[in-house]
Amino acid sequence: MAEINMPGDEVERLGTLLRQVMDLIETKSSGFDADAVGRPLVDAGSNFDKKWNDGRTQLKRNSKDLRDACEAIVKAFADADTQQASALDGNDGSKS
């Protein structure tokens, strides 16, 4: 039987980090008061935010897909590990 080494902790950590990226990507919800820094910066910031909106949406969508995939990978390997352990113990893995 072949041994498969899957870095579960790293994949799980990646999923956590992607969740943080998704939380931090929202510039509008940061509570920053753009008017407090002055007119030229407000205009530049607003212009950037408008142009960044499409990129932010795409990045959030892709990050969510990657995060979901990380969670699915970790779950699939944990389930497979549990099933293999049950098989070695002589159990079929089903709950009776």
Side-chain angles (χ1 to χ4, degrees), residues 10-20 67 70-71:
E10 288 85 355
V11 175
E12 190 170 9
R13 175 83 174 127
L14 177 59
T16 300
L17 291 172
L18 285 166
R19 181 173 283 112
Q20 289 175 340
R67 185 201 68 210
C70 288
E71 291 172 358

Side-chain angles (χ1 to χ4, degrees), residues 78-89:
D79 290 349
D81 189 48
T82 300
Q83 290 172 356
Q84 290 298 321
S86 293
L88 290 173
D89 287 341

Side-chain angles (χ1 to χ4, degrees), residues 18-92:
L18 285 166
R19 181 173 283 112
Q20 289 175 340
V21 166
M22 292 169 61
D23 290 343
L24 294 173
I25 205 76
E26 284 297 329
T27 56
K28 296 230 185 250
S29 62
S30 68
F32 174 71
D33 181 13
D35 292 323
V37 298
R39 198 80 221 136
L41 291 177
V42 171
D43 294 340
S46 294
N47 185 38
F48 172 81
D49 195 56
K50 286 177 190 171
K51 290 182 179 182
W52 168 233
N53 196 41
D54 289 339
R56 177 178 34 241
T57 300
Q58 185 66 33
L59 184 60
K60 284 174 61 177
R61 184 180 312 123
N62 291 344
S63 294
K64 181 186 180 310
D65 291 346
L66 286 169
R67 185 201 68 210
D68 292 349
C70 288
E71 291 172 358
I73 289 168
V74 169
K75 183 180 181 331
F77 271 88
D79 290 349
D81 189 48
T82 300
Q83 290 172 356
Q84 290 298 321
S86 293
L88 290 173
D89 287 341
N91 300 325
D92 64 2

